[in-house]
Amino acid sequence: MEDLHTATRQYVHLAVLDGTDALGVERISAAAAVSGGVQRRGRLPRHASAVGQIPLAHAGEAQFAAVVQDGLARLTPGTITDPATLRLTLAECRRTGVAVVHEEVSPDAHSVAVPGTGSTGRVVAASSVVCAVARTRLLVPAVVPAGRGISRGLGASAVP
């Protein structure tokens, strides 16, 4: 996380699953960086945050059903609130290995996240960079290796 923060000078965030939310467990931020609407030990909805979409994309149908069961709360005009759209977004996360979110949690916050896998190969966390510009795809080359390092730290034996 420190290397990613040094490379991007943006808000860097690590979250784990907690029920139907993503729970922020660590963050590093520059004074002028966008926070993405979460503080350390803060909660983000899994449907609207990049760090929530990554583990949801790799969870089973029961987890998806639990997240959409009570409806998908609209936090901003950009928040995904349609289950079918969310399902397509999660399929794209699985295909590309990253989640890219634009202004779904808070205005002017754009993020890109990657999975953190544990020793069983299961996605147990996600790390992200949050910034104020919509060019988050440019951050993918920095975020992917950071996610691999986090996975190794979590005990993953094979990191793609």
Side-chain angles (χ1 to χ4, degrees):
M1 285 182 62
E2 290 172 0
D3 290 344
L4 184 56
H5 179 260
T6 298
T8 64
R9 302 308 298 165
Q10 299 296 321
Y11 180 95
V12 177
H13 182 220
L14 179 68
V16 297
L17 300 181
D18 189 36
T20 58
D21 295 331
L23 176 65
V25 294
E26 193 57 71
R27 69 181 173 104
I28 303 171
S29 184
V34 174
S35 74
V38 70
Q39 300 299 317
R40 186 169 171 235
R41 302 283 183 213
R43 294 183 174 281
L44 286 168
R46 287 171 68 183
H47 75 284
S49 62
V51 292
Q53 287 179 2
I54 283 290
L56 185 57
H58 296 278
E61 186 60 30
Q63 282 289 322
F64 180 83
V67 168
V68 302
Q69 173 180 304
D70 295 326
L72 301 172
R74 180 176 303 278
L75 305 172
T76 71
T79 304
I80 295 173
T81 58
D82 174 53
T85 302
L86 179 59
R87 193 177 293 279
L88 290 172
T89 299
L90 299 177
E92 182 69 4
C93 290
R94 285 187 300 275
R95 187 184 73 75
T96 63
V98 299
V100 178
V101 168
H102 298 288
E103 300 181 313
E104 290 191 42
V105 174
S106 62
D108 300 323
H110 307 268
S111 64
V112 59
V114 293
T117 56
S119 59
T120 64
R122 205 176 107 239
V123 174
V124 295
S127 56
S128 72
V129 173
V130 181
C131 59
V133 294
R135 296 177 293 179
T136 51
R137 288 272 177 207
L138 298 175
L139 296 171
V140 170
V143 178
V144 169
R148 289 179 181 145
I150 289 168
S151 291
R152 282 189 297 275
L154 293 170
S157 57
V159 181

